[in-house]
Amino acid sequence: MAPPPLSSWPWASLGQYKYVLLGPLVWKVLQEWREQAGLPLGSWWLHLLLLFAARGLTYQFWFSYGNMLFFTRRRRVVADGVDFRQIDAEWDWDNFLVLQTLIGATVVNSPLLPGLRQLCLWDPRGWAVALLLHVGFSEPVFYLAHRALHRAPLFARYHAAHHSSGVTQPLTAGFGTPLEVLLLTLVMGAPLAGAFLVGAGSIGLVYVHALAFDYLRAMGYSNVEVVSPRVFEAFPLLRYILYTPSYLSLHHRERCRNFCLFMPALDLAGGTLDERAWALQRAAYDGGPGGGALGTPEFVFLAHVVDMMSSMHVPFALRSLSSTPFANHFILLPFWPVAFGFMLLMWCCSKTFVVSFYYLRGHLHQTWSVPRYGFQYFLPAAKKGINQQIELAILRADRMGVKVLSLAALNKNEALNGGGTLFVNKHPDLRVRVVHGNTLTAAVILNEIPSNVREVFLTGATSKLGRAIALYLCRKKIRVLMFTVSSERFVKIQREAPPEYQQYLVQVTKYQAAQNCKTWIVGKWLSPREQRWAPSGTHFHQFVVPPIIGFRRDCTYGKLAAMRLPKDVQGLSSCEYTMERGVVHACHAGGVVHFLEGWGHHEVGAIDVDRIDVVWKAALKHGLAPV
């Protein structure tokens, strides 16, 4: 059965190549540039392209602001998070910008509006005409058309997809069918057309009207209250002139009231005004009961920034990047100076901040980030400051009532704070449980090793994880070639093993010793030259950060230890660094298991080898799965 007309996008098959449709406008600008020997500032083609970019940035601004939880978590309208299903559905949210730009190019190229030929920068008469037409035409037309779209069969054919987004975001404003976009084009364009028809149009009016229109739409969909309810109390009529995110959120969830574009006066006149919007707006703005403010998390994963490029993978930057596993893209290079500036700013005056959240079985889990980058952890002068940041985060979590805080990657570095022991020893009365999660990390790596393996080669052998892996494997009568030049550290670990299993731990000091071993467990960076000693068919298991680069085509490379969160996780909308959707690092998963089990001990310092199987079984019991 063919889809209804104007219910699908004709360029859907083009994917990201849809922007090629704007190619003719670019060509026109280049032609005029060449003819005028300079940038054609009076070219409508140039202004259409600039408007396309400026309007897109308007929605991006509101998206970034709304998802900066360190600013907005207490003023959210709906507490739920956006999931990957909604992100994928809204992936081409900017289709409406492409269509409206093409319509604008068609109008500019037609004789319908002769006033367009003479570009005027400013004409106050046009502003009056546009305002009158917006109030007298655009608002009523949108209200009536919107109500019609909520009736059968139009709703199912054209509007249901838009309402399928559970939590409104600024980008949700652009998610719709061509019919809906044509309606928006009419109500946005009519005031401009009227101004030009009476000879009062101007380029300034086009920019201000279009950007103000987008600004108000993006604000309404932002899910964050920005206007104080006290303003509405001081000026009661303003309630019927300007809608709020709470007002639109009620419509989006319940679908039977609040149909206006920007002015609730239309709903008042039509008998469709939901007056609960005012109370909801106050609750959301003040962070009170009934609003969507994020409450106290019960579990926190304390991460840090890896490097400059990955810092742009945060959920409040580009959603198309944060919702997919991190990878270096050429498109990020122009933003590198901005990222560098933010790094300096965070280094000077920032503190730990909330990055993302999700819900698991009704419990709020959050990721916080220490405002430090990976390279800073290796600067001796930065060690004290980093530990202070981590300590303050732990104490803040303790005051808030967080039950478990899990340390990520370098935040639990042995040389930095003894795997978290520094904080637990300094604050013996902590109620929050501090967890490094390495027990589950070791379990994940160990359970990746095939049962028929009788010998492994282990680098990083005397590290926290290396020690635990070696002691566990020797108990299974698996020969462990421990690569270390420190006989003292090797002997210390060997003596921890039961006497009957000590023979399975063997110290080696050269990579050549593993040239016949096909199972390498890598806890230390390997260069191409070092990888060359592995025989063909070797599999490299890894717990080194960053992971080694796979130079050998005749070998296979495992990823960092990770687990998939339970299927009932809700509101997860971003990928954790290079992990796939729904997958988190094993140390993150270890903290989740610690919380779900309700264990009362801290997991810091050396790994308890006897608990590796206990933690693994608990993870599987709670629905976490190996990748």
Side-chain angles (χ1 to χ4, degrees):
M1 184 178 177
L6 297 177
S7 65
S8 60
W9 292 95
W11 55 73
S13 59
L14 293 179
Q16 296 302 311
Y17 295 104
K18 66 188 177 187
Y19 303 110
V20 174
L21 296 170
L22 302 178
L25 279 75
V26 177
W27 178 249
K28 286 278 191 181
V29 172
L30 293 176
Q31 276 187 321
E32 294 180 351
W33 195 340
R34 184 182 60 185
E35 293 169 0
Q36 300 177 20
L39 191 64
L41 298 178
S43 169
W44 271 113
W45 314 111
L46 176 62
H47 290 299
L48 285 171
L49 290 174
L50 291 176
L51 268 173
F52 176 82
R55 297 178 67 196
L57 287 173
T58 300
Y59 287 93
Q60 178 60 46
F61 163 78
W62 273 104
F63 171 81
S64 294
Y65 173 73
N67 286 277
M68 289 178 174
L69 299 176
F70 44 91
F71 285 145
T72 63
R73 67 184 182 277
R74 292 191 177 91
R75 289 185 176 172
R76 292 170 60 87
V77 179
V78 177
D80 299 336
V82 174
D83 57 23
F84 290 118
R85 181 205 60 78
Q86 178 174 337
I87 290 173
D88 288 340
E90 297 175 357
W91 195 266
D92 291 309
W93 66 272
D94 59 348
N95 275 341
F96 82 102
L97 290 175
V98 175
L99 179 58
Q100 290 180 347
T101 302
L102 295 176
I103 292 174
T106 304
V107 172
V108 166
N109 205 35
S110 72
L112 295 177
L113 295 175
L116 290 173
R117 301 300 175 203
Q118 300 296 324
L119 271 181
C120 171
L121 183 62
W122 189 267
D123 189 333
R125 296 175 303 159
W127 294 78
V129 172
L131 181 60
L132 287 173
L133 284 173
H134 177 83
V135 175
F137 177 82
S138 296
E139 288 283 350
V141 167
F142 181 87
Y143 175 78
L144 294 173
H146 195 182
R147 289 195 67 174
L149 282 172
H150 274 261
R151 297 193 181 99
L154 293 178
F155 182 80
R157 292 176 180 176
Y158 296 104
H159 202 45
H162 178 75
H163 276 273
S164 67
S165 296
V167 181
T168 59
Q169 297 259 286
L171 308 189
T172 309
F175 173 46
T177 59
L179 179 67
E180 293 170 293
V181 173
L182 289 174
L183 168 63
L184 283 169
T185 305
L186 172 66
V187 299
M188 185 181 77
L192 294 176
F196 278 98
L197 281 172
V198 299
S202 65
I203 190 65
L205 174 63
V206 173
Y207 273 92
V208 172
H209 180 77
L211 293 178
F213 191 95
D214 289 324
Y215 186 91
L216 290 174
R217 291 201 77 224
M219 180 201 73
Y221 279 87
S222 67
N223 193 39
V224 175
E225 282 298 347
V226 292
V227 181
S228 170
R230 292 155 190 81
V231 174
F232 292 102
E233 290 171 0
F235 305 98
L237 285 178
L238 189 60
R239 290 180 174 178
Y240 304 102
I241 297 173
L242 179 66
Y243 77 156
T244 65
S246 297
Y247 192 91
L248 185 136
S249 182
L250 276 175
H251 164 77
H252 205 79
R253 282 180 290 161
E254 302 187 7
R255 307 180 183 180
C256 57
R257 290 179 174 273
N258 296 3
F259 295 101
C260 75
L261 179 59
F262 303 133
M263 300 176 63
L266 274 294
D267 281 303
L268 180 65
T272 55
L273 179 67
D274 191 337
E275 295 189 357
R276 292 177 300 166
W278 319 132
L280 177 59
Q281 195 257 347
R282 170 176 282 281
Y285 187 87
D286 293 338
L294 294 181
T296 299
E298 296 184 76
F299 167 76
V300 167
F301 181 57
L302 186 62
H304 63 81
V305 189
V306 177
D307 54 36
M308 211 75 67
M309 297 298 281
S310 65
S311 68
M312 292 177 269
H313 191 249
V314 288
F316 51 82
L318 298 173
R319 189 168 76 171
S320 57
L321 292 181
S322 65
S323 62
T324 56
F326 173 74
N328 286 308
H329 296 285
F330 288 114
I331 193 174
L332 295 178
L333 290 177
F335 299 101
W336 195 92
V338 179
F340 182 76
F342 272 104
M343 183 204 71
L344 296 178
L345 182 65
M346 288 199 297
W347 199 348
C348 294
C349 56
S350 184
K351 61 181 181 180
T352 300
F353 57 93
V354 183
V355 177
S356 62
F357 72 96
Y358 62 86
Y359 290 93
L360 183 60
R361 293 161 198 172
H363 303 288
L364 177 62
H365 293 203
Q366 289 182 351
T367 295
W368 297 358
S369 179
V370 173
R372 295 294 181 268
Y373 290 65
F375 76 90
Q376 294 169 322
Y377 284 75
F378 300 98
L379 301 177
K383 178 179 177 181
K384 181 179 178 181
I386 291 173
N387 274 331
Q388 285 178 344
Q389 290 276 357
I390 298 171
E391 182 180 7
L392 288 173
I394 292 172
L395 294 177
R396 174 188 170 197
D398 193 58
R399 290 193 304 270
M400 292 173 65
V402 176
K403 294 180 180 178
V404 174
L405 183 143
S406 182
L407 301 172
L410 297 173
N411 285 335
K412 58 191 174 192
N413 186 279
E414 198 68 27
L416 183 69
N417 51 47
T421 54
L422 172 68
F423 312 114
V424 172
N425 292 338
K426 186 176 179 180
H427 302 282
D429 297 326
L430 285 175
R431 291 171 298 171
V432 62
R433 303 293 94 180
V434 180
V435 175
H436 57 45
N438 283 341
T439 308
L440 186 57
T441 302
V444 170
I445 296 169
L446 291 164
N447 281 277
E448 288 177 351
I449 300 173
S451 58
N452 61 347
V453 168
R454 305 317 308 162
E455 181 182 71
V456 302
F457 176 61
L458 177 64
T459 70
T462 59
S463 66
K464 187 189 309 177
L465 270 168
R467 165 194 163 274
I469 290 169
L471 292 173
Y472 184 93
L473 289 176
C474 77
R475 295 182 185 182
K476 303 292 183 181
K477 297 184 178 181
I478 296 174
R479 190 165 181 258
V480 183
L481 305 177
M482 298 177 63
F483 180 82
T484 177
V485 295
S486 174
S487 297
E488 181 183 352
R489 297 176 73 177
F490 167 75
V491 171
K492 183 180 178 182
I493 293 173
Q494 188 182 45
R495 287 176 178 171
E496 288 189 66
E500 65 271 25
Y501 298 121
Q502 291 181 4
Q503 60 181 309
Y504 293 100
L505 299 179
V506 180
Q507 181 186 10
V508 297
T509 57
K510 297 183 182 296
Y511 289 97
Q512 294 93 313
Q515 58 187 334
N516 295 316
C517 179
K518 291 190 174 183
T519 302
W520 285 37
I521 305 175
V522 183
K524 179 183 177 183
W525 177 261
L526 293 181
S527 67
R529 183 177 181 181
E530 292 163 343
Q531 291 182 39
R532 231 173 30 212
W533 288 106
S536 178
T538 295
H539 182 77
F540 293 89
H541 303 268
Q542 303 193 56
F543 62 93
V544 58
V545 179
I548 62 174
I549 300 173
F551 293 103
R552 294 279 300 273
R553 294 187 176 183
D554 58 341
C555 298
T556 54
Y557 295 81
K559 296 183 178 181
L560 292 177
M563 295 201 80
R564 190 174 298 279
L565 290 172
K567 294 180 180 179
D568 53 344
V569 65
Q570 296 176 314
L572 187 65
S573 60
S574 59
C575 292
E576 191 169 280
Y577 194 35
T578 59
M579 299 290 124
E580 299 174 7
R581 289 179 170 183
V583 175
V584 296
H585 292 89
C587 55
H588 182 154
V592 171
V593 172
H594 204 98
F595 166 71
L596 292 174
E597 281 290 307
W599 287 328
H601 64 279
H602 296 290
E603 184 192 331
V604 294
I607 297 172
D608 184 350
V609 180
D610 294 327
R611 289 194 58 81
I612 291 177
D613 286 335
V614 173
V615 173
W616 177 252
K617 291 175 182 177
L620 298 181
K621 180 184 74 174
H622 287 291
L624 286 91
V627 180

